[in-house]
Amino acid sequence: MSDIETLPADTASRYTIAADSDARAPKRKVQIRSFGCQMNAYDATRMGDLLEKEGYEETATQDDADLVILNTCHIREKASEKIFSELGKLRMAKQDRANSAAPLRIAVAGCVAQAEGQEIRRRQPAVDVVVGPQNYHRLGDLLRQADEKGSAVDTEFPVEDKFDHLIAPSRKRLAQRGVSAFVTVQEGCDKFCTFCVVPYTRGAETSRTPESILAEVRELAEGGIREVTLIGQNVNAYHGADGNGHDCSLAGLMQKAAAIEGIARIRYTTSHPRDMADDLIAAHRDLAALMPFLHLPVQSGSDRILEAMNRNHTALDYIERVRRIRAARPDIALSSDFIVGFPGESEEDFRATLALIEEVTFASSYFFKYSVRPGTPAATLENQIDEATKSERLARLQKLVDSQRHAFNSATVGRRLDVLFEREGRHAGQIVGKTPYLQAVAVDAPRELIGQCVEVEITQSGSNSLFGRIV
Ligand code: SAH
Ligand code: SF4
Ligand code: F3S
């Protein structure tokens, strides 16, 4: 087994394709189960890349796995507690295999690992490794440490940057990546919304260097990726500095990424309304590769609640920001996140949220019942809202958001849109891709079109996807 290869000190040259691992070496298998947001999905891919170097190949099933990694999410109580029931089941599987030739090892990564640390092993001693989102570049060492000492926990925020130590995908893994990929450009958050655990689980806001990001995008493009989504907890707070000390904003970064051969489409998520800078809004007008879809969470339409959430803007600020974005790119489609039942939310506050949705109109949205998160300021507020009221408000919100989504999808019927085909569909002869507005479209067409942008006439709008024909 080889040691983790740490790559040389300047990041641009670092992102070189890893040599394919020795085919003769007996492979162990790892199952990585990822929960939560796109950043966890990205981290899972990078863990897979580096574990390949450690002699593992990925498997989709637990039964043939030597190692199971739960890449966890802490954002709401349900997500977080679910992990402990998963761990209970894994403990049984581990016990069953204890004396077999293939024992099972269990690792917990992601945001629950960061938030709970040692507590995870106290609640479930069957866990071998606990590793935080800023430490998973040390996974190989931690697994060896667990072999020697019985367990390993690493959730200290490290002085080194994990991106300097991660490993580029092998050609084999790159070939499995498909057409569209996430790339983390910014991580962590300094905004401290009063309901949110992210500043505690992902740490302070940091941006990767443009060189490191662009090197990664270049490799992905060479491997067949056509669409990159630049991700960050606050992606539009991105503020990189290039090797010459010049500042680089998200807009500047996207311009450079768009110039990379093979990259046809660029997206970014998740943005904070306060960080929609002028040059970013202008990019929606000027940068052809930037897709006209923006996820811009507002959480609530009530100024009183927005203030209690520490969002630092009013409902009108949001609406005016949207107006400016639409002036730059009239066809842009928007989506948002909403929280219902934040402490103290009155019927009137909730109606203000509905009114904002009516006014802005969204192509789609995500909505959540407020979930008390230990250690966050809102957890200790009085006037917590009862479950029945939360459920009732959630249902009303869902109805409005659904009707807007249907209206948006129906309005594309009859239009001709560029579709980037990503994969085969459910039926033989069908392929599936995405419109610029992030809608899934199924078309009867040859699979050779996967990876290409093709003009499609939308013929029908179903409940979850559109149907169309090649023009
Ligand atoms: N950085 C992004 C959001 C990250 S978390 C932003 O600022 O918008 C993703 C979503 O989860 C949030 O937008 C919010 O709607 C929801 N969320 C976060 N904490 C929550 C909580 N305690 N209860 C319910 N929903 C929550
Ligand atoms: Fe959480 Fe607010 Fe930061 Fe988004 S901006 S990650 S909601 S604290
Ligand atoms: Fe969840 Fe962590 Fe993402 S808490 S939403 S996995 S940043």
Side-chain angles (χ1 to χ4, degrees):
M1 187 172 59
S2 61
D3 282 318
I4 299 185
E5 196 179 274
T6 42
L7 298 161
D10 72 272
T11 344
S13 56
R14 237 172 262 181
Y15 203 85
T16 43
I17 293 272
D20 286 335
S21 10
D22 189 348
R24 291 158 303 178
K27 289 262 185 198
R28 287 175 297 171
K29 291 192 175 171
V30 56
Q31 184 195 30
I32 308 177
R33 279 193 243 157
S34 213
F35 305 85
C37 64
Q38 293 100 331
M39 194 167 289
N40 259 14
Y42 173 84
D43 291 342
T45 306
R46 307 276 343 228
M47 281 188 242
D49 291 341
L50 73 85
L51 284 174
E52 188 185 52
K53 267 272 168 177
E54 297 282 327
Y56 286 88
E57 79 187 356
E58 269 194 71
T59 171
T61 50
Q62 182 184 310
D63 286 346
D64 62 350
D66 304 282
L67 169 67
V68 173
I69 301 177
L70 298 185
N71 193 26
T72 61
C73 175
H74 195 56
I75 201 82
R76 284 168 289 274
E77 189 183 0
K78 260 199 194 135
S80 187
E81 280 308 307
K82 182 172 158 187
I83 298 309
F84 290 96
S85 63
E86 290 289 321
L87 286 176
K89 288 184 225 157
L90 281 169
R91 179 184 69 105
M92 309 280 269
K94 184 173 178 171
Q95 255 169 12
D96 289 346
R97 281 162 53 177
N99 297 317
S100 74
L104 178 65
R105 289 192 298 170
I106 305 169
V108 180
C111 290
V112 179
Q114 188 60 47
E116 304 282 348
Q118 278 290 358
E119 176 69 12
I120 293 180
R121 289 207 68 251
R122 204 189 56 75
R123 282 180 70 176
Q124 186 46 269
V127 171
D128 300 281
V129 170
V130 177
V131 59
Q134 306 308 346
N135 310 68
Y136 67 79
H137 57 293
R138 301 174 176 168
L139 201 47
D141 286 339
L142 293 169
L143 287 164
R144 279 185 284 279
Q145 193 183 317
D147 279 346
E148 285 161 23
K149 299 186 181 156
S151 69
V153 176
D154 191 357
T155 55
E156 292 296 316
F157 287 111
V159 283
E160 80 271 15
D161 180 352
K162 70 170 176 242
F163 289 106
D164 293 347
H165 299 273
L166 292 175
I167 282 174
S170 63
R171 291 190 194 285
K172 184 176 152 206
R173 281 180 58 85
L174 200 52
Q176 295 162 349
R177 290 291 292 275
V179 170
S180 182
F182 298 126
V183 175
T184 292
V185 302
Q186 175 280 343
E187 199 166 352
C189 182
D190 296 339
K191 297 243 174 0
F192 291 93
C193 300
T194 54
F195 52 81
C196 184
V197 294
V198 169
Y200 313 97
T201 64
R202 291 275 169 175
E205 193 177 301
T206 54
S207 294
R208 282 176 77 182
T209 64
E211 286 86 351
S212 158
I213 295 162
L214 295 168
E216 183 170 339
V217 173
R218 226 168 275 127
E219 294 291 1
L220 291 170
E222 280 166 19
I225 295 291
R226 294 288 159 262
E227 175 181 271
V228 287
T229 303
L230 306 182
I231 59 174
Q233 267 90 32
N234 258 290
V235 72
N236 55 347
Y238 177 81
H239 54 100
D242 67 19
N244 304 321
H246 299 304
D247 288 347
C248 177
S249 66
L250 181 63
L253 182 68
M254 291 194 298
Q255 209 169 11
K256 294 189 173 94
I260 291 173
E261 197 184 327
I263 296 300
R265 288 180 163 190
I266 299 202
R267 302 179 185 276
Y268 62 95
T269 200
T270 293
S271 296
H272 195 291
R274 270 160 60 203
D275 294 322
M276 287 306 298
D278 292 347
D279 68 335
L280 184 54
I281 294 177
H284 279 285
R285 182 191 59 214
D286 302 332
L287 191 60
L290 178 57
M291 291 293 102
F293 184 96
L294 176 62
H295 183 57
L296 193 63
V298 62
Q299 315 297 353
S300 169
S302 155
D303 289 344
R304 217 172 58 80
I305 297 297
L306 286 169
E307 192 177 347
M309 287 176 163
N310 192 33
R311 293 290 291 182
N312 262 302
H313 65 79
T314 63
L316 190 61
D317 292 336
Y318 182 85
I319 288 166
E320 289 193 331
R321 194 85 11 130
V322 166
R323 226 172 259 149
R324 288 186 49 216
I325 297 164
R326 283 195 167 131
R329 179 78 204 218
D331 69 329
I332 199 160
L334 294 169
S335 68
S336 175
D337 293 342
F338 296 96
I339 295 177
V340 300
F342 183 83
E345 185 189 68
S346 66
E347 172 64 23
E348 197 190 337
D349 293 318
F350 176 65
R351 285 202 191 146
T353 300
L354 297 180
L356 180 141
I357 299 174
E358 297 273 14
E359 163 118 28
V360 174
T361 67
F362 294 94
S364 67
S365 280
Y366 303 87
F367 32 84
F368 313 98
K369 289 182 198 172
Y370 169 71
S371 169
V372 176
R373 306 310 292 129
T376 60
T380 54
L381 290 177
E382 285 168 20
N383 308 322
Q384 295 287 334
I385 305 298
D386 62 88
E387 203 46 37
T389 305
K390 284 184 194 170
S391 299
E392 187 253 350
R393 288 181 188 162
L394 195 77
R396 283 157 72 197
L397 188 74
Q398 169 152 24
K399 212 169 139 204
L400 178 56
V401 163
D402 279 353
S403 76
Q404 291 194 347
R405 185 167 51 89
H406 286 304
F408 179 79
N409 287 337
S410 303
T412 52
V413 175
R415 287 186 64 189
R416 290 175 170 200
L417 299 174
D418 263 354
V419 171
L420 173 61
F421 285 108
E422 294 178 351
R423 59 186 168 84
E424 287 181 62
R426 261 194 233 146
H427 312 296
Q430 191 183 57
I431 55 174
V432 179
K434 298 256 169 63
T435 70
Y437 312 108
L438 213 53
Q439 300 150 296
V441 190
V443 177
D444 287 328
R447 67 176 312 285
E448 286 67 39
L449 291 183
I450 291 173
Q452 293 185 36
C453 267
V454 182
E455 204 180 15
V456 166
E457 183 181 318
I458 308 300
T459 53
Q460 198 191 329
S461 155
S463 54
N464 288 314
S465 62
L466 303 174
F467 299 90
R469 65 165 166 265
I470 306 282
V471 175

